[in-house]
Amino acid sequence: MGRTHSNGYKRVGDFFPELQYRPVLKAVCSRRAEKVNAFAEQWGYESVETDWKVLVSRDDIDAVDICTPNNMHAEIAIAAAAAGKIILCEKPLSRTLAEAHEMVQAVEKAGVANTVWYNYRRLPAVTLAKQIVASGKLGRIFHYRANFLQDWTINANVPQGGDGTWRLDVDAAGSGVTGDLLAHCIDTAIWLNGSIKDVSAVTETFVKERVHQATGQMQKVGIDDACIFHCHFVNGSLGLFESTRYARGHKALYTFEINGEDASIGWDLHDLNKLEYFDHHDESIVRGWRTIHVTDGDQPYMDKWWVPGLSIGYEHSFVHQVADFLKSIERGEACSPTFREALETQKICQAVLDSAASRSWKDVKAYD
């Protein structure tokens, strides 16, 4: 994610020249000097640090971007807020709901600008979906369904912990697919369809023990490999969500579909420039799903890129989020999702995990 964010900072001024502020790659931090020096040289950072506490204390640093494993998010964010820094944090906001509350309190007490990198909001087709929903074209919404499927842990020999597989270590990650993948689905869902009222969930850990890289010993796996939950939205619609790392053949299949009384929309990350749309008001002889190719200049963000018909990719969502964040600073406005807004996703994730553990429905308001 450090590479992805760095690319966003480097490209934003080229395609959003109207911005008042321009990112300066002042310093990059990682624990190993050799690694961080190579990264700084490749991406053009002016200096390096191997201790994040030193970086946060520097007077020449205005903004801190947290791209660490989840177990470091809270400590860094709280310290950065106390130092008066602008904060951008990778998702999920934290490992636990308690950490999330502390982070929200810290940034609000310090009054510092903040945002969380739920980047899929900034893909033009997803932003267009938001505009369509807000316009009322779908009518009363009945269903929201989403899934996020991967297959990279279907091997009992994959270790937990370490640089590449910290997501399998509950102490580093907090949860498995719920915080890593479903958090994206949940953020998009509440942005498009409003708040979730309650949840009922099932989780499964298919490989119960894995070698831990830190100890070399076989240890119990504490994260969820798969999760399915259904829910009620506040607007009365039903939600159905599935996430797994055990769907052979899928590397990053993220889809959502919304069904309304008058129309439906659907989106697939694998074909991210297209939005599927069905309008029941069309004449019956031509009624059917249509594909909107979201590459035209009057569609979200696309006036900044190429001629109509030419696509953009995953990395551009980060350029867009950087641009939106810089614009928010110019205007003195919040940039969604803020830590406070991302807290809602954390509450739902916690409710999902608690529901699966207790085999019962959980009311999201109970986590306020």
Side-chain angles (χ1 to χ4, degrees):
M1 298 318 298
R3 293 190 306 152
T4 312
H5 294 194
S6 296
N7 180 71
Y9 294 130
K10 289 171 72 83
R11 302 299 300 278
V12 69
D14 297 330
F15 292 94
F16 292 81
E18 74 278 9
L19 291 170
Q20 178 181 337
Y21 297 110
R22 298 293 180 92
V24 176
L25 303 184
K26 184 62 66 173
V28 61
C29 182
S30 185
R31 286 169 287 191
R32 291 189 290 278
E34 181 179 354
K35 181 178 179 180
V36 73
N37 281 319
F39 189 93
E41 182 176 355
Q42 177 180 354
W43 289 96
Y45 281 84
E46 294 180 9
S47 62
V48 301
E49 298 288 354
T50 55
D51 184 343
W52 67 262
K53 295 177 181 178
V54 174
L55 183 142
V56 166
S57 69
R58 284 175 47 166
D59 293 335
D60 60 346
I61 299 296
D62 298 313
V64 173
D65 187 354
I66 304 171
C67 300
T68 66
N70 303 341
N71 60 320
M72 300 179 70
H73 287 190
E75 186 180 10
I76 297 174
I78 292 168
K85 310 299 185 186
I86 294 166
I87 307 172
L88 305 94
C89 185
E90 251 304 323
K91 50 61 58 185
L93 183 60
S94 60
R95 288 180 302 177
T96 67
L97 188 54
E99 288 179 345
H101 277 294
E102 291 175 1
M103 294 169 72
V104 171
Q105 292 169 3
V107 297
E108 292 183 349
K109 178 181 178 181
V112 295
N114 59 89
T115 196
V116 180
W117 291 90
Y118 281 111
N119 61 292
Y120 293 118
R121 293 187 180 199
R122 264 73 183 197
L123 287 170
V126 179
T127 306
L128 180 60
K130 170 70 171 178
Q131 294 176 358
I132 292 172
V133 172
S135 74
K137 291 182 185 297
L138 272 59
R140 179 186 174 188
I141 293 174
F142 299 122
H143 293 283
Y144 188 105
R145 66 183 62 84
N147 61 20
F148 208 137
L149 313 180
Q150 297 181 338
D151 71 355
W152 64 278
T153 62
I154 308 179
N155 186 334
N157 295 322
V158 174
Q160 56 178 312
D163 290 349
T165 52
W166 61 264
R167 288 178 175 83
L168 303 186
D169 180 358
V170 68
D171 291 333
S175 67
V177 296
T178 299
D180 188 31
L181 304 181
L182 278 177
H184 269 305
C185 300
I186 293 165
D187 174 78
T188 308
I190 60 180
W191 188 54
L192 294 176
N193 196 39
S195 296
I196 289 174
K197 181 180 179 181
D198 54 17
V199 303
S200 176
V202 175
T203 61
E204 183 58 66
T205 302
F206 295 113
V207 176
K208 310 297 185 184
E209 293 185 334
R210 292 183 184 273
V211 171
H212 199 290
Q213 276 201 337
T215 64
Q217 301 297 314
M218 191 71 74
Q219 294 184 18
K220 180 181 177 181
V221 175
I223 56 92
D224 45 302
D225 289 327
C227 179
I228 302 170
F229 79 89
H230 55 169
C231 65
H232 295 94
F233 284 85
V234 171
N235 66 6
S237 60
L238 299 180
L240 179 62
F241 295 79
E242 178 188 12
S243 184
T244 182
R245 296 185 181 130
Y246 279 72
R248 181 63 80 195
H250 293 299
K251 305 303 178 185
L253 178 70
Y254 173 24
T255 70
F256 67 74
E257 183 175 307
I258 310 176
N259 305 127
E261 185 172 9
D262 300 321
S264 293
I265 53 175
W267 177 78
D268 183 343
L269 176 60
H270 285 173
D271 206 359
L272 59 82
N273 291 283
K274 294 179 179 179
L275 186 67
E276 301 299 321
Y277 181 73
F278 178 93
D279 193 334
H280 186 66
H281 291 130
D282 291 342
E283 293 183 67
S284 61
I285 58 171
V286 295
R287 187 184 297 147
W289 283 91
R290 71 183 75 161
T291 299
I292 304 169
H293 197 208
V294 189
T295 60
D296 219 329
D298 58 352
Q299 292 167 325
Y301 299 106
M302 291 309 301
D303 62 321
K304 300 298 182 181
W305 298 103
W306 324 120
V307 297
L310 299 184
S311 300
I312 63 171
Y314 164 81
E315 71 275 15
H316 296 83
S317 63
F318 294 89
V319 179
H320 298 159
Q321 184 148 355
V322 173
D324 288 346
F325 191 67
L326 294 175
K327 288 177 186 175
S328 75
I329 294 174
E330 289 178 23
R331 299 167 180 168
E333 301 171 348
C335 181
S336 292
T338 63
F339 280 24
R340 169 66 64 180
E341 290 166 330
L343 178 62
E344 183 173 3
T345 295
Q346 293 300 125
K347 292 176 183 178
I348 297 166
C349 286
Q350 190 62 57
V352 164
L353 294 171
D354 289 350
S355 170
S358 64
R359 299 191 175 192
S360 63
W361 280 89
K362 293 296 179 182
D363 190 330
V364 175
K365 283 188 175 180
Y367 295 84
D368 289 345

